[in-house]
Amino acid sequence: MNTSATARTPRMEARRVAKGSAGEGAARAGLTARGVIYLLVGVLALQIAFGDGKRQADRGGALAELADQPFGAALLWALGIGLVCMALWRLSEVLFGSVGPDGRKARKRLLSAVRCAFYTFVAYSVLSFAAGSGGSGSSDEQSKDVTARLLEVPAGQWLVGVAGAGIAVAGVWIAVRAALRKYHDKLRLGQMSLRTRRLVDVTGVAGGVARGAVFAVAGAFAVRAAVDYAPDKAKGLDDTLRSFADTPLGPWLLVCVAAGLVLFGLFSFAMARWRRV
């Protein structure tokens, strides 16, 4: 019996660390870093909407904007480390489960694995930028390059189409969950005043709907690229945001979406403060 207990000790210790103050700190640092990126992208998109956008409204543009600030290099490294923390937190959810009654189910673990992979890539790109590599190009160029490569492989059109449809569905799912305020399940609502809760709901609903809309439109462009066998029709974050200004509503729709992304950045800060980890 003692031998069995000893054999379980490393995993139990790892779980204790992941669910303790270290894991909580990683989660809150990661959510703060996510908030910074969405806040900057939203501000850049607002500048584009009002005809004063000198940078692309994507992660690369956000990093360049941050680099121009006082102590920009230190801010970039801090952002990259925060995103590494986010990836590690999501990895802990894969290994030990997340909060909630169904946190250990396979579906939740798979979702955490996808998020871990995504934030690992984002953290790598941010740290590469901080190290002076200049990144790997704009989101628009990356989207077109990846789409072109996938279209060349066997069943490439199906791969791009399914991936695009998945992104579009994910966008709708994100928007619907935000509108229904499903994030309440993850917040420590008892620690918030009524006024604070209302403000958080404004950022959570508006920000989540805007974020979901961007995902849904980007996915739709990917599906169109697959159907037409035209990689140039795939769009990254910057081109996707600019497409909102090409609708009959003109730049005002882009203003609404951009403001929503700013609000989602603020919502991420609120999550960093009150989320149950």
Side-chain angles (χ1 to χ4, degrees), residues 30 37 46 59 65 97 100 110-111 121 136 169 188 203 217 260:
I37 290 179
L46 282 172
R59 186 172 60 250
E65 186 73 19
L110 178 60
L111 185 58
F121 169 76
S136 55
V169 170
R188 295 171 176 168
T203 62
V217 172

Side-chain angles (χ1 to χ4, degrees), residues 85-270:
C85 290
M86 174 71 98
L88 291 174
W89 170 44
R90 294 305 188 184
L91 177 61
S92 74
E93 291 185 331
V94 176
L95 298 175
F96 308 115
S98 56
V99 296
D102 59 345
R104 296 188 182 184
K105 290 185 178 179
R107 179 178 60 85
K108 289 286 188 177
R109 291 178 187 264
L110 178 60
L111 185 58
S112 293
V114 172
R115 287 167 170 165
C116 176
F118 173 75
Y119 282 108
T120 297
F121 169 76
V122 175
Y124 173 78
S125 66
V126 172
L127 291 174
S128 296
F129 190 96
S133 70
S136 55
S138 70
S139 62
D140 302 324
E141 293 171 351
Q142 291 174 13
S143 295
K144 290 178 174 59
D145 289 344
V146 170
T147 303
R149 292 194 187 99
L150 286 176
L151 287 175
E152 292 174 358
V153 305
Q157 278 183 284
W158 283 102
L159 288 174
V160 174
V162 169
I167 293 171
V169 170
V172 174
W173 180 75
I174 289 171
V176 170
R177 285 182 62 84
L180 295 177
R181 304 178 187 181
K182 291 293 187 180
Y183 53 82
H184 277 189
D185 297 339
K186 300 176 182 178
L187 286 172
R188 295 171 176 168
L189 297 175
Q191 298 181 5
M192 303 163 63
S193 66
L194 180 60
R195 182 172 180 272
T196 299
R197 190 182 303 181
R198 286 173 177 169
L199 290 173
V200 170
D201 277 340
V202 170
T203 62
V205 173
V209 170
R211 181 179 179 233
V214 172
F215 273 75
V217 172
F221 280 125
V223 171
R224 182 181 176 186
V227 172
D228 295 345
Y229 202 84
D232 285 346
K233 292 185 178 180
K235 297 183 184 293
L237 179 55
D238 180 73
D239 274 350
T240 298
L241 287 170
R242 291 175 190 269
S243 70
F244 285 101
D246 296 332
T247 65
L249 294 176
W252 291 109
L253 181 57
L254 176 55
V255 169
C256 292
V257 173
L261 295 181
V262 171
L263 289 174
F264 187 78
L266 297 177
F267 175 70
S268 294
F269 297 152

